[in-house]
Amino acid sequence: QVQFVESGGGLVQAGGSLRLSCAASGITFSINAFAWYRQAPGEQREFVAGIGSSRNTNYDDSVKSRFTISRDNGKNTVYLQMNSLKPEDTAVYYCNTLPLSSTWGQGTQVTVSS
């Protein structure tokens, strides 16, 4: 069964940066596509960025040019580099496969203060 462990969140001022990590297990990592999602309080979970097995990427318009998704197949880990953070980026961030698996990790909290 696939499992995800997200880390790297924290409290940062607007304009700052964070790098999130997602360690995946129970899956053949290299052949799968992955994505980052986020959920703000009272909101639906939304797509942030995705990366395919061939490292092709796509982003939600709200984070394009600020966030970068990457992967390390040797470490079974997906990353999300977040720069120029804004208060509206505040949310719990999760990773999952594409298409979605039914399993979600605990997420990592990102809080951006103004």
Side-chain angles (χ1 to χ4, degrees), residues 71-92:
R71 62 191 294 161
D72 185 334
N73 289 345
K75 295 182 178 180
N76 286 10
T77 300
V78 183
Y79 301 99
L80 186 68
Q81 178 67 44
M82 306 187 297
N83 299 329
S84 302
L85 281 161
K86 303 176 180 180
E88 50 263 45
D89 295 319
T90 294
V92 179

Side-chain angles (χ1 to χ4, degrees), residues 30-89:
S30 62
I31 65 172
N32 277 276
F34 295 91
W36 283 95
Y37 299 82
R38 65 186 180 187
Q39 187 169 21
E43 302 290 333
Q44 299 269 25
R45 196 169 297 179
E46 64 179 9
F47 171 86
V48 175
I51 185 166
S53 57
S54 58
R55 302 179 189 276
N56 51 303
T57 60
N58 63 309
Y59 299 90
D60 183 81
D61 285 346
S62 66
V63 306
K64 204 171 290 186
S65 80
R66 299 189 298 123
F67 291 10
T68 302
I69 188 171
S70 62
R71 62 191 294 161
D72 185 334
N73 289 345
K75 295 182 178 180
N76 286 10
T77 300
V78 183
Y79 301 99
L80 186 68
Q81 178 67 44
M82 306 187 297
N83 299 329
S84 302
L85 281 161
K86 303 176 180 180
E88 50 263 45
D89 295 319

